[in-house]
Amino acid sequence: MTERTTTRPPRNARPRPAKRRQRTIFQQIAARTRPQEAEALLILILFGFALLMRWPNLMRLPHFTDEIGEIRWTWQIYTGQHFPLTAQVKYFGPIHHYLLALCFGVFGPSVTLPRTLVCIIGALTVALTYLIGRELGGWKVGAVGAALLATLPQHIVVNSHVAWENSTTPFYATLCYYTLLRAIRALPPTPARDNRSFWPTGRWLLLCAFCGGLMLQTHLGTILLAPALLGALGYALYRQQYWQLLRTPWPYLSLLVALVAYSPVLIDNLRAGMAGFQRAKGRDYAYVADPTLGTYLYNLRNLCYELARMISNPFRTPERALHYFTSPYMLIAVVLALLGLGLLIRRHQPLPLLAIFFTAAIMPYYNHAYGVDGDRYLLTGRYVAYLLPLLTIATATGALALATAVVHLGQRFLTPGKGSLRAWWRAAWIALPAGLILLLILYPIIPLRRYYTHEGQNDPDNATFLETIQIVRQARGTGNAPVLIGPLFEKVDLKDGATALEILDILLTLDGIPHTTLTDPAQQIAQIGDPINPDDILAQPIIIMMRDQCIPIRETAPMLRISERLRLRELYWELPSYYGVYRYMRDLPLGDRCFPAGGATAGD
């Protein structure tokens, strides 16, 4: 039998220190970052991501609409021609026009500034969506909901590209949602002893009312959110038994603040016999003149279909109702949104559902424009775009609830064992929901790129107008050559509330190029050009003119085309119908007039 010997450590030996695990650089940064700093960084990342998604084709698509009239209205404010109490449309307020005029004053007039401002406001709406999502369901819901809105084509193409005041409606609506939720969260934790305990809630209510008045300035239809906001506040008071708030001055001061914020529109319409509100009824492209039960149900169905398209793929409008079920992404988005709305109600957060309910219950009675029956399938979405932040939050809530259920299922059945294979399967199972949520966020980029490609090939209008401005700027150089615009552009209607003449006029104005619109080109061009020294080429008049107008007057107004053939979607592409930028050349041979320096080519 052998004896077992043990080796004893030396009596004064020090214990070997445990080996520290090396932390990665990300873990070190996370350990030193405070929660407030991390959240601020997250909001900044969401804003930057939203801006990145909105910047491509900002000036290119959609083509210029009646936003041109709003920009002209702002220009008149900037130049001091008037200081109105309303927008160009008398039932809108002037808030956006004065904000844009302020930007003109700070940064200087620019062709790109009106759409850039709308783009930045759209990106800010994404950041605000994170905040309301955090209030409704936590930071994860806010982050996913904001990311969904960041890639949503409807909010990108319309609410972040078109320089309408109405494009900014979701921004002010999101401010209303957030300030109301903060007011509810600021309610005293215990029954208040005096009215001073309601000061934090009252402060947020006043801010919510002010934002509501500004929101109403951007579109009258947002009045539908008033019962939803009041209903959410009333539910919170009922659930927590805080009816004492109604005995404080805050609710009634809030109503007064909302009226003050909307007062410019009210004052102007009271002076004019409510002419602005009466004009709203004349908008037959959207307003229902003689509503019936049949028109209401028909409009309600179209509204529901439009909301389904807006939160998934707004470019696809099925001809039949059953065809909506052929789009997997649309079905997934709708199911997740409905699931999220139900979960938010269960968690005592009724605001998203109330906003959707009151919109669906009232709007179809007086509005029929929901992207069907000849409507512009994207542009009409602006009437209900204020629901998009809440809908993306609901979708995020449903998606994260399913993801959490899948993770819990994996933790229950895929417990880690001795082998590394079991641990790998468990990690893959947990990563699967995160990957699917990422796919849900990024998939809308695919139809968005298809839209840009298709419209870019078939709608060259904005690219042509911007190229025209660049050609004129380069042709003038450092000189002061007069710029003249042919009158036929007034007859080129872009079908969205603006003519080619109006667009060229405001773009040249914003670029700082003096110009004149001709009424009798044959006589006026010669009268302006003949007194100028013919040897001074840069001083010769520059004319923007239709080809169909240049040819008949070339005997009396000799012009050399200094641009390529400039096309518009509204002109005949298969016929020699285009416009160009010309320079007055007094001694030009007759056969070379209205053509480039090398002479006429095929298609001229």
Side-chain angles (χ1 to χ4, degrees), residues 74 168 225 279 307 342 409 437 474 521 548 587 597:
T74 301
T168 66
L225 283 181
R279 184 183 177 186
L307 290 177
L409 190 67
I437 290 177
Q474 292 176 352
D548 301 335
D587 299 326

Side-chain angles (χ1 to χ4, degrees), residues 1 51 101 157 225 245 265 327 492-493 540 581 588:
M1 184 175 181
L51 204 59
V157 176
L225 283 181
L245 178 65
V265 183
S327 173
V492 182
D493 187 1
Q540 301 303 313
V581 179
L588 193 67

Side-chain angles (χ1 to χ4, degrees), residues 341-573:
L341 290 172
L343 290 173
L344 289 172
I345 286 293
R346 186 177 178 182
R347 298 169 187 172
H348 306 288
Q349 297 289 359
L351 178 59
L353 184 60
L354 288 175
I356 297 170
F357 171 77
F358 282 108
T359 299
I362 302 173
M363 184 174 284
Y365 180 77
Y366 66 85
N367 190 319
H368 66 77
Y370 301 109
V372 295
D373 298 334
D375 298 331
R376 292 297 301 274
Y377 62 97
L378 272 175
L379 300 184
T380 55
R382 67 186 186 272
Y383 299 123
V384 289
Y386 58 81
L387 295 176
L388 290 179
L390 296 178
L391 285 169
T392 56
I393 290 299
T395 304
T397 302
L400 286 172
L402 288 180
T404 303
V406 170
V407 170
H408 288 169
L409 190 67
Q411 290 176 343
R412 181 177 179 181
F413 293 102
L414 297 175
T415 53
K418 296 181 179 180
S420 60
L421 183 62
R422 182 73 63 86
W424 185 91
W425 273 106
R426 182 171 177 267
W429 182 266
I430 294 175
L432 177 63
L436 292 176
I437 290 177
L438 184 62
L439 181 62
L440 186 71
I441 293 171
L442 297 180
Y443 176 80
I445 299 177
I446 297 176
L448 179 64
R449 298 305 303 175
R450 290 183 190 145
Y451 165 79
Y452 284 153
T453 302
H454 177 269
E455 291 297 311
Q457 294 173 350
N458 294 279
D459 188 356
D461 290 1
N462 279 22
T464 299
F465 288 131
L466 296 174
E467 182 183 358
T468 302
I469 303 304
Q470 183 178 5
I471 292 171
V472 171
R473 188 189 311 118
Q474 292 176 352
R476 294 184 83 229
T478 58
N480 295 316
V483 177
L484 312 176
I485 306 176
L488 284 186
F489 286 104
E490 189 173 7
K491 298 182 179 180
V492 182
D493 187 1
L494 270 63
K495 304 299 188 294
D496 284 313
T499 66
L501 178 61
E502 293 172 332
I503 294 172
L504 288 172
D505 176 56
I506 194 62
L507 293 181
L508 289 169
T509 300
L510 292 177
D511 205 61
I513 301 176
H515 56 279
T516 303
T517 300
L518 303 173
T519 56
D520 187 358
Q523 294 184 2
Q524 289 177 292
I525 293 176
Q527 290 174 356
I528 296 174
D530 285 346
I532 300 175
N533 182 6
D535 296 331
D536 190 357
I537 300 298
L538 292 179
Q540 301 303 313
I542 298 170
I543 304 100
I544 307 172
M545 181 171 286
M546 302 290 295
R547 178 261 185 198
D548 301 335
Q549 193 163 41
C550 182
I551 297 295
I553 66 171
R554 59 180 180 171
E555 292 187 4
T556 57
M559 291 175 285
L560 177 70
R561 201 179 80 215
I562 59 175
S563 71
E564 299 295 330
R565 293 190 290 266
L566 300 173
R567 299 285 190 178
L568 295 176
R569 185 187 59 175
E570 291 72 21
L571 302 178
Y572 298 107
W573 282 38

Side-chain angles (χ1 to χ4, degrees), residues 230-362:
L230 293 175
L233 178 61
Y235 178 80
L237 297 181
Y238 167 77
R239 185 168 175 266
Q240 302 181 36
Q241 293 298 305
Y242 276 128
W243 300 113
Q244 185 180 347
L245 178 65
L246 300 180
R247 295 195 294 268
T248 68
W250 301 118
Y252 315 105
L253 285 176
S254 300
L255 178 61
L256 180 62
V257 168
L259 290 174
V260 169
Y262 191 64
S263 61
V265 183
L266 295 175
I267 293 172
D268 186 85
N269 277 270
L270 287 173
R271 289 177 178 175
M274 310 303 288
F277 297 112
Q278 293 298 325
R279 184 183 177 186
K281 297 181 180 180
R283 303 275 173 161
D284 54 356
Y285 58 80
Y287 186 75
V288 180
D290 298 310
T292 63
L293 179 61
T295 61
Y296 174 81
L297 295 176
Y298 179 75
N299 294 337
L300 176 61
R301 185 193 68 173
N302 290 336
L303 170 60
C304 294
Y305 289 155
E306 183 174 58
L307 290 177
R309 297 193 304 269
M310 288 173 65
I311 62 175
S312 56
N313 181 3
F315 310 113
R316 181 178 180 270
T317 306
E319 295 182 359
R320 300 179 58 186
L322 290 177
H323 293 171
Y324 279 86
F325 295 95
T326 62
S327 173
Y329 183 79
M330 182 180 294
L331 287 176
I332 293 171
V334 171
V335 169
L336 291 177
L338 293 175
L339 175 62
L341 290 172
L343 290 173
L344 289 172
I345 286 293
R346 186 177 178 182
R347 298 169 187 172
H348 306 288
Q349 297 289 359
L351 178 59
L353 184 60
L354 288 175
I356 297 170
F357 171 77
F358 282 108
T359 299
I362 302 173

